[in-house]
């Protein structure tokens, strides 16, 4: 393996663990320059045209500054689909794919296809768009407080050819005005405590939107209280709420949902064995 791959790898290796530097070099070559992994392995990933070399230089410098590669490339993969992303929205995470898989598996198992779905805090729209693609007869709505996020989410829905109702709303202050009897409410709200910042990477802290991630240390469940209350009021009978959670608060979040009258609260672990999502029912 050599040429452009080696060039990228050598330039970014001082900034990343070896495996990550290799994965980044591969992703850049495949996504931006259209090389296949086989071509890269055979050293057929060069020479690039002059203009592409300039582009590559900018990409390498961005990676050296620890910008998330998804922002540099303008796209991220989620559940096998490409989503436009930019600094105004969170980069979709693999644990959120697991949350969406849970919703899809449940709905398929129960033969539900034409449900009303709401995604709270839609960001790039990755959850809403994936569900709308999996269930073409579902009526999907998505809300976010951020106008920047909604703009990107709209473009992602359009690119996927799905008709999603987007709304700019603050779930903490304004849960009314959208009172459909939802069959499914799903949310990956901000849940990282301020005190957890110490262990986090520069590429998250310096580049991703803080309002998408952080909650105050003295009220880590603020979004779950608002979402739980809203769900208890607006879910159809038998309708389900699915949320991604901070692994440190599985018990507390479950108890909170029970106290709000939601039933059959189920805590589920992610692929790393951490308490990561909850399903409950009205
Ligand atoms: N759903 C996307 C995903 O899973 O990748 C984004 C999740 S991100 C963790 C949380 C999202 O909630 C952000 O897009 C943020 O703008 C939005 N958000 C933050 N505060 C909000 C509020 N008060 N009301 C509605 N949305 C909010
Ligand atoms: N899983 C994300 C992270 O660790 C956090 C997502 C969220 O706050 N909902 O960066």
């Amino acid at each position: 393996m050599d040429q452009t791959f080696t060039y990228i790898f050598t330039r970014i290796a001082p900034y990343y663990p070896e495996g990550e530097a290799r994965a980044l070099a591969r992703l850049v070559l495949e996504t931006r320059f259209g090389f296949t992994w086989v071509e890269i392995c055979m050293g057929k990933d060069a020479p690039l045209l002059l203009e592409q070399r300039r582009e590559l230089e900018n990409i390498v410098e961005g990676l050296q500054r620890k910008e998330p590669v998804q922002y540099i490339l303008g796209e991220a993969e989620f559940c096998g689909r490409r989503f436009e992303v930019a600094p105004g929205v969170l980069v979709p995470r693999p644990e959120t794919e697991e949350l969406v898989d849970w919703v899809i598996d449940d709905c398929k198992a129960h033969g539900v296809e034409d449900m009303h779905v709401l995604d709270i805090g839609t960001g790039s729209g990755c959850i809403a768009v994936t569900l709308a693609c999996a269930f073409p007869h579902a009526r999907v709505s998505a809300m976010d407080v951020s106008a920047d996020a909604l703009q990107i989410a709209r473009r992602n829905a359009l690119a996927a050819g799905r008709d999603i109702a987007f709304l700019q709303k603050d779930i903490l202050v304004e849960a009314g005005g959208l009172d459909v009897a939802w069959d499914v409410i799903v949310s990956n709200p901000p849940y990282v405590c301020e005190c957890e910042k110490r262990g986090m990477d520069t590429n998250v802290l310096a580049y991703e939107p803080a309002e998408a991630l952080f909650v105050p240390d003295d009220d880590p469940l603020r979004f779950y209280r608002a979402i739980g209350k809203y769900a208890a009021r607006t879910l159809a009978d038998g309708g389900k709420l699915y949320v991604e959670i901070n692994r440190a608060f599985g018990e507390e979040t479950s108890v909170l949902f029970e106290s709000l009258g939601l039933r059959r609260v189920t805590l589920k672990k992610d692929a790393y064995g951490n308490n990561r999502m909850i399903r409950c029912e009205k």
Side-chain angles (χ1 to χ4, degrees):
M1 209 183 300
D2 71 49
Q3 312 220 313
T4 313
F5 180 90
T6 308
Y7 172 76
I8 303 174
F9 175 74
T10 313
R11 298 277 313 276
I12 66 174
Y15 304 89
Y16 296 90
E18 185 181 331
E20 193 176 348
R22 286 186 186 285
L24 286 169
R26 174 179 175 175
L27 187 67
V28 166
L29 284 172
E30 288 180 338
T31 307
R32 184 52 67 85
F33 299 105
F35 291 111
T36 65
W37 182 229
V38 172
E39 285 170 330
I40 297 168
C41 290
M42 292 172 70
K44 293 195 171 158
D45 55 340
L48 294 171
L49 304 171
L50 184 63
E51 201 163 303
Q52 292 178 320
R53 287 225 157 258
R54 281 202 201 103
E55 193 183 348
L56 180 62
E57 208 45 47
N58 287 335
I59 293 173
V60 165
E61 283 168 16
L63 290 173
Q64 290 175 333
R65 287 191 299 268
K66 290 289 188 106
E67 277 176 46
V69 67
Q70 295 86 352
Y71 289 161
I72 296 173
L73 298 173
E75 63 181 58
E77 200 182 305
F78 184 84
C79 291
R81 218 170 250 108
R82 283 186 184 186
F83 285 85
E84 177 189 337
V85 293
V89 293
L90 191 86
V91 174
R93 305 287 206 268
E95 50 270 33
T96 310
E97 295 182 315
E98 294 187 56
L99 177 74
V100 172
D101 285 344
W102 199 12
V103 179
I104 293 176
D105 289 349
D106 276 0
C107 292
K108 296 229 151 128
H110 293 102
V112 192
E113 293 280 336
D114 59 351
M115 64 279 196
H116 278 108
V117 180
L118 173 66
D119 173 20
I120 299 176
T122 196
S124 62
C126 58
I127 297 175
V129 170
T130 304
L131 291 174
C133 290
F135 301 102
H137 301 294
R139 277 151 293 172
V140 181
S141 302
M143 69 153 88
D144 206 291
V145 74
S146 155
D148 286 351
L150 286 168
Q151 222 172 22
I152 290 173
R154 276 199 185 90
R155 286 205 290 271
N156 280 322
L158 197 67
R162 308 293 4 145
D163 187 15
I164 294 173
F166 288 103
L167 297 118
Q168 187 172 11
K169 277 197 180 296
D170 182 341
I171 187 69
L172 296 176
V173 299
E174 194 192 344
L178 228 195
D179 294 349
V180 177
W182 304 107
D183 300 297
V184 173
I185 296 177
V186 56
S187 183
N188 171 21
Y191 61 64
V192 182
C193 293
E194 294 282 342
C195 67
E196 291 178 279
K197 279 186 178 170
R198 254 168 290 144
M200 292 173 71
D201 284 342
T202 310
N203 56 11
V204 177
L205 288 178
Y207 295 99
E208 293 205 86
E211 59 278 17
L213 285 167
F214 296 108
V215 285
D217 290 343
D218 62 2
D219 192 11
L221 302 188
R222 74 190 315 188
F223 281 95
Y224 299 93
R225 203 174 307 112
I227 292 166
K229 276 186 191 159
Y230 178 74
R233 188 159 60 76
T234 62
L235 277 174
D237 283 341
K240 293 192 176 77
L241 168 66
Y242 297 81
V243 290
E244 186 175 317
I245 59 160
N246 186 323
R247 63 180 181 177
F249 300 110
E251 273 311 309
E252 288 87 339
T253 316
S254 300
V255 169
L256 170 68
F257 286 157
E258 272 159 10
S259 77
L260 293 171
L262 294 161
R263 302 181 304 125
R264 301 177 67 183
V265 180
T266 310
L267 184 57
K268 193 169 185 234
K269 292 188 192 303
D270 62 19
Y272 299 98
N274 296 314
N275 286 332
R276 184 58 71 198
M277 50 208 127
I278 290 178
R279 176 187 63 200
C280 53
E281 200 175 301
K282 180 160 166 184

